[in-house]
Amino acid sequence: MKVGIVVGTRPEIIKMAPVVRECQKRGVAYFIIHSNQHYSEEMDSIFFKELNLPQPNYNLGVGSGLHSNQTGNILIKMEPILLDEKPDVVLVQGDTNTVLAGALAASKLGIKVGHIEAGLRSYDRTMPEETNRIMTDHISDYLFAVGPNQHKILSKEGINADNIFTVGNTVSDSLFQHLEISAEKSKILADLGVTDKNYFLVTAHRASNVDTPASLQALLALFDKLHAKYSQPIVWPIHPRTQAKLKEFSIEVPSYLKLLPPIGYLDFIQLQKHALLILTDSGGIQEEACLLGVPCITLRENTERPESIEVGANVLVGLDGDKALAAAEKWLAKGDFSWENPFGDGHVAETILDIITGTEQVDLQEKIVAKNETLAVVGMGYMGLPIASLIAQAGYSVTGIDLSQDKVDSINRGECPFDEVGMPELIKKVVEQGFLKASTSIPSSDTYLVAVPTPHKDNACDRSYVFSAADAIAKVAKDGQTVIVESTISPQTSLAVEQRFADAGLQIDVVHCPERAIPGQTLHELVNNDRIIGASSSEAQQKVKRIYQSFVNGEVFLTDLTTAECVKLVENTSRDVGIAFANELAQIAEELDVNVYEVIKLANRHPRVNVLTPGPGVGGHCIPIDPWFLVENTKSGDFVRLARKINDERPYVIGEKALEMLSAVKGKRIGILGVAYKANVDDCRETPADAILDCFNKAGVDVCYHDPFVPKWDCPRKDSIADIEAWADVLILVTDHTCYSKLEVNIPLLNTRG
């Protein structure tokens, strides 16, 4: 793994510092490209020295200029660096021209892009930053959103949910890492002759506030009103742009304004921490003020950081002096400031590195605090064991139940019986500390959780495993206890489970909380995704909400049982229908002799259109199955059933195309590239490769496969791409593993992934 880190301005250096340190800590190879968009010593290189960061590996020296000129120069100078360094991912942060140019350069070269602070929106297109952040988001592969607001914005803009990660903001890391250091080293308050909570702090640099005489005069008039009321010194570390405009317009500033040249980060932390009030037009300072517990008045009509307003730490006033005065009066009359922190816990860079490197870091030494509650999880599969481990890590005494003695023994040894990122470390931790044990029998517990398989049988949900689990729980359960069903089930199954307990003479609260995670990122998604809790009583809702909030960072939504059952089914049915349209469109385009990918690309230029791309079919344990669960007991749903028919037939359509190619070259051997149902996992459940292989077997051709993640499948395996190319007459790409992203072969290839 090699990471390219791109910076260009003071805030980017500060917010990327924790990422650099995390790379150093883990031994991850990295390099720093600095565009020098801020090109003065006081706005730029001083921060590398002060934050004890390594000097950039590359300085582009672009300086200032028109937006297009600056962006273009960065692109021109960055491209050969990326070609030479060949990073796996390029990380950019924020919304500057450097960010957009860095993301564009990487994306054009097929390098993955990670955007830190993704999803911020002011909805003010007069701000060049707004254009930069929107464009960067839509070409990024990893979108690191600060919070739920940004996650929702990105989802509404049509960005794939699998690419969005709610992580917080690295500003929290940087601030918390340097707060104590700044207190020791900074002498700024003494140098200025100001004391704690006896001055206001100001920053202003945006074009709308400083680029015209009228706006600058309005800004100074706002300060006059505050000074007339409170007689406080106003400290103003002035941006070079603002200083130049004051000189250009021959505007004199009043003596109560303590103008400073740009200062270092450690000094600025102390100025923020000890200010009575902060006035700013900076996005980052809104965040830092909120984290430091200092009230903030934002000198703008909009903000891309609405969280600070939502928690009561910030107010928008524009350049209206009366509004600013009213906000100051309200806060200063109160005198005691406290609000929630919406921007991160100081470990955001760790989470970002976990995601891009595919590792979840588990502190094995961290002592788990016991909650003195018991919970039994029935089913130790791909979802049951991770959920049991996370609940155990939260302090519950968990027993995992499985019929397989081998699996039970493996868990009790602290071993993970299947391959999933982060699971071996987590299981080792919770087993060694005594919070997770496994058994083949169900003990009496405060709460029970069912995570057993629900296969489809004759296009319907096979509920027998769920019912068997409920019947087994009924033998040890007591009145008033709770049973959570995590398994994906057809609507009204929870009511049927509730009735089974009633028939057994038990009053049990049945709760449904559908799992929403994917292999390869299970732990991350179980922790960070929003969760739905359905129950018949508010007491059961609240009890289970408390359990999930012990380890879930996402929001928890409460509803009734059947609605909760429908939610996940509708999510996956929606995706299935969208895929079916794309696959049908591919057939239409072929008949019309047009390129389906070109059609989709141009259609998606419309802001309200998001057509998916066609593929070889639909795989996995959710999307091909959940639509049947949704409509199995309804008369309506013909459209859903048709979509299923289209997607089920798609692998055979693809298989016939490959056979036509084989016939054209008079060959006898077909090589399949990738047989897992999705990229970069070893999971072959419901993979479209099964039907494609069936098609080839019926045609009597020889078949081999290559898949770096799947060591054994239903036909012979070749160890390398070179081996399968040398053996085959035709190749078919089924799974878009990363190793195939730059595939170059010299024999006919059917690329089902476009």
Side-chain angles (χ1 to χ4, degrees):
M1 165 66 71
K2 182 191 278 190
V3 180
I5 298 173
V6 176
V7 297
T9 65
R10 167 191 180 276
E12 291 164 52
I13 297 167
I14 291 168
K15 292 182 181 181
M16 281 298 202
V19 177
V20 173
R21 292 195 185 99
E22 194 62 26
C23 286
Q24 293 172 328
K25 175 183 170 184
R26 299 186 185 202
V28 173
Y30 72 94
F31 61 94
I32 302 173
I33 300 177
H34 189 3
S35 73
N36 308 107
Q37 181 176 332
H38 277 173
Y39 52 92
S40 60
E41 166 74 15
E42 67 270 20
M43 292 298 291
D44 191 323
S45 59
I46 185 175
F47 292 101
F48 284 95
K49 298 172 186 173
E50 191 175 41
L51 303 182
N52 196 27
L53 295 174
Q55 288 299 306
N57 303 81
Y58 303 93
N59 284 290
L60 306 187
V62 298
S64 62
L66 297 173
H67 288 290
S68 57
N69 181 278
Q70 192 178 62
T71 305
N73 281 336
I74 298 170
L75 272 167
I76 291 167
K77 294 184 177 185
M78 192 177 297
E79 187 173 61
I81 296 172
L82 297 180
L83 282 169
D84 184 54
E85 289 280 2
K86 297 181 177 61
D88 297 285
V89 62
V90 166
L91 294 178
V92 295
Q93 183 279 323
D95 52 21
T96 65
N97 292 337
T98 296
V99 170
L100 176 59
L104 274 171
S107 181
K108 292 282 188 182
L109 295 173
I111 299 168
K112 290 185 182 297
V113 177
H115 186 200
I116 300 171
E117 285 192 350
L120 298 184
R121 298 290 184 270
S122 67
Y123 299 104
D124 180 0
R125 293 300 286 269
T126 65
M127 296 172 61
E129 295 88 351
E130 184 76 355
T131 299
N132 290 344
R133 58 176 75 108
I134 291 171
M135 293 178 68
T136 302
D137 282 341
H138 284 266
I139 56 175
S140 293
D141 302 277
Y142 300 98
L143 294 102
F144 298 113
V146 174
N149 288 335
Q150 291 73 38
H151 195 292
K152 289 173 186 174
I153 286 168
L154 294 168
S155 296
K156 286 179 181 178
E157 291 181 5
I159 291 173
N160 191 326
D162 291 347
N163 293 13
I164 307 170
F165 305 90
T166 301
V167 298
N169 198 317
T170 53
V171 68
S172 70
D173 299 29
S174 198
L175 194 63
F176 297 150
Q177 287 171 11
H178 296 103
L179 197 55
E180 188 174 333
I181 298 171
S182 71
E184 293 173 359
K185 292 189 174 182
S186 175
K187 308 299 181 189
I188 188 72
L189 268 65
D191 293 344
L192 291 175
V194 295
T195 57
D196 181 49
K197 306 305 179 189
N198 282 307
Y199 63 92
F200 297 157
L201 177 64
V202 167
T203 76
H205 72 282
R206 294 198 179 274
S208 58
N209 284 345
V210 304
D211 272 14
T212 66
S215 59
L216 261 177
Q217 293 285 9
L219 186 64
L220 292 173
L222 184 152
F223 298 156
D224 284 341
K225 286 197 173 186
L226 286 172
H227 184 68
K229 172 76 174 178
Y230 293 105
S231 301
Q232 295 279 7
I234 298 180
V235 178
W236 190 357
I238 195 161
H239 194 284
R241 172 199 191 108
T242 310
Q243 183 73 70
K245 292 298 180 182
L246 287 170
K247 184 176 181 181
E248 179 185 340
F249 303 143
S250 301
I251 295 176
E252 294 291 329
V253 298
S255 59
Y256 65 78
L257 284 172
K258 290 180 175 286
L259 265 58
L260 307 177
I263 60 175
Y265 184 52
L266 299 183
D267 281 340
F268 193 68
I269 289 176
Q270 288 303 300
L271 279 181
Q272 290 184 93
K273 178 176 174 56
H274 294 285
L276 182 60
L277 195 67
I278 293 175
L279 297 97
T280 187
D281 59 11
S282 161
I285 293 174
Q286 294 173 53
E287 296 167 333
E288 291 176 345
C290 181
L291 287 163
L292 289 168
V294 180
C296 182
I297 293 176
T298 296
L299 306 169
R300 288 164 51 185
E301 301 291 346
N302 51 58
T303 181
E304 60 284 348
R305 274 85 171 178
E307 295 82 6
S308 61
I309 295 172
E310 291 167 0
V311 299
N314 187 14
V315 65
L316 301 177
V317 303
L319 294 177
D320 189 321
D322 291 333
K323 287 183 179 178
L325 190 59
E329 288 174 344
K330 182 178 178 181
W331 266 318
L332 299 184
K334 181 181 179 183
D336 179 30
F337 314 120
S338 63
W339 43 70
E340 293 180 10
N341 163 24
F343 294 120
D345 59 0
H347 299 281
V348 177
E350 296 175 31
T351 304
I352 290 170
L353 264 291
D354 287 347
I355 292 165
I356 65 173
T357 61
T359 58
E360 294 287 343
Q361 298 297 309
V362 175
D363 184 354
L364 297 178
Q365 304 305 315
E366 181 188 16
K367 184 72 174 174
I368 298 173
V369 179
K371 294 189 183 299
N372 298 317
E373 290 186 45
T374 58
L375 196 145
V377 179
V378 183
M380 291 286 95
Y382 286 98
M383 288 298 153
L385 182 54
I387 198 80
S389 301
L390 288 169
I391 294 172
Q393 186 177 227
Y396 292 86
S397 180
V398 179
T399 302
I401 295 93
D402 202 277
L403 296 177
S404 168
Q405 186 64 55
D406 288 343
K407 186 179 288 187
V408 165
D409 292 342
S410 175
I411 294 168
N412 286 331
R413 290 193 300 268
E415 300 169 356
C416 184
F418 51 80
D419 186 22
E420 179 61 46
V421 172
M423 279 298 295
E425 299 86 352
L426 179 57
I427 291 175
K428 185 174 189 292
K429 175 182 177 179
V430 294
V431 169
E432 286 186 354
Q433 294 195 36
F435 285 88
L436 174 66
K437 62 182 178 181
S439 174
T440 55
S441 60
I442 304 174
S444 180
S445 304
D446 298 319
T447 306
Y448 308 87
L449 189 150
V450 176
V452 297
T454 47
H456 66 304
K457 186 176 181 181
D458 299 326
N459 294 338
C461 177
D462 181 355
R463 305 187 295 179
S464 60
Y465 295 95
V466 172
F467 290 155
S468 293
D471 293 344
I473 291 169
K475 294 176 182 178
V476 296
K478 300 174 183 177
D479 282 346
Q481 292 183 332
T482 305
V483 173
I484 305 166
V485 179
E486 276 246 0
S487 304
T488 304
I489 49 182
S490 55
Q492 300 182 337
T493 297
S494 296
L495 295 175
V497 172
E498 212 169 45
Q499 186 59 50
R500 290 179 90 89
F501 286 119
D503 293 343
L506 288 167
Q507 191 281 308
I508 298 292
D509 286 316
V510 175
V511 178
H512 183 55
C513 182
E515 54 88 359
R516 301 161 107 189
I518 57 173
Q521 295 180 19
T522 300
L523 285 180
H524 177 83
E525 295 210 341
L526 286 174
V527 170
N528 292 289
N529 287 358
D530 293 344
R531 299 304 297 258
I532 311 297
I533 292 175
S536 300
S537 74
S538 59
E539 292 81 6
Q541 287 177 336
Q542 292 301 325
K543 176 184 177 181
V544 175
K545 181 180 181 181
R546 176 173 53 82
I547 293 172
Y548 278 86
Q549 285 185 325
S550 69
F551 68 91
V552 170
N553 292 333
E555 290 189 69
V556 177
F557 297 91
L558 306 179
T559 186
D560 63 86
L561 278 169
T562 305
T563 299
E565 290 168 332
C566 288
V567 168
K568 182 185 176 183
L569 304 182
V570 169
E571 290 170 355
N572 286 326
T573 300
S574 173
R575 296 171 69 188
D576 193 47
V577 168
I579 294 167
F581 174 66
N583 287 337
E584 190 77 343
L585 186 60
Q587 297 294 99
I588 294 169
E590 186 173 341
E591 289 187 37
L592 297 176
D593 196 25
V594 296
N595 185 319
V596 67
Y597 299 103
E598 179 75 2
V599 170
I600 291 171
K601 181 178 74 172
L602 295 176
N604 284 346
R605 298 293 299 174
H606 191 287
R608 292 182 296 280
V609 173
N610 183 34
V611 181
L612 303 177
T613 52
V618 179
H621 59 295
C622 292
I623 298 180
I625 298 169
D626 291 359
W628 291 123
F629 291 6
L630 182 66
V631 300
E632 69 176 63
N633 292 315
T634 66
K635 294 179 181 178
S636 302
D638 289 346
F639 185 53
V640 173
R641 296 181 181 95
L642 178 60
R644 276 284 73 237
K645 181 174 182 291
I646 290 169
N647 286 337
D648 281 345
E649 291 175 352
R650 180 66 176 171
Y652 293 96
V653 172
I654 292 295
E656 289 300 325
K657 287 181 181 295
L659 291 172
E660 289 172 11
M661 292 174 63
L662 188 68
S663 177
V665 298
K666 297 182 170 56
K668 297 180 179 179
R669 297 174 172 178
I670 292 182
I672 301 175
L673 297 176
V675 297
Y677 86 86
K678 64 172 289 182
N680 303 326
V681 301
D682 63 352
D683 195 340
C684 293
R685 286 177 291 176
E686 306 293 329
T687 174
D690 284 337
I692 292 171
L693 176 63
D694 182 56
C695 184
F696 294 161
N697 287 339
K698 288 177 178 176
V701 301
D702 293 332
V703 189
C704 281
Y705 83 98
H706 171 265
D707 191 312
F709 297 91
V710 182
K712 188 175 181 181
W713 191 55
D714 296 334
C715 68
R717 181 179 186 268
K718 295 295 182 180
D719 292 332
S720 70
I721 297 173
D723 287 345
I724 199 165
E725 180 185 5
W727 176 85
D729 299 309
V730 167
L731 292 174
I732 175 172
L733 175 64
V734 175
T735 312
D736 50 342
H737 292 312
T738 302
C739 64
Y740 303 137
S741 60
K742 296 179 181 178
L743 191 65
E744 293 183 4
V745 295
N746 296 312
I747 62 174
L749 169 71
L750 176 57
N751 184 354
T752 70
R753 298 290 180 172

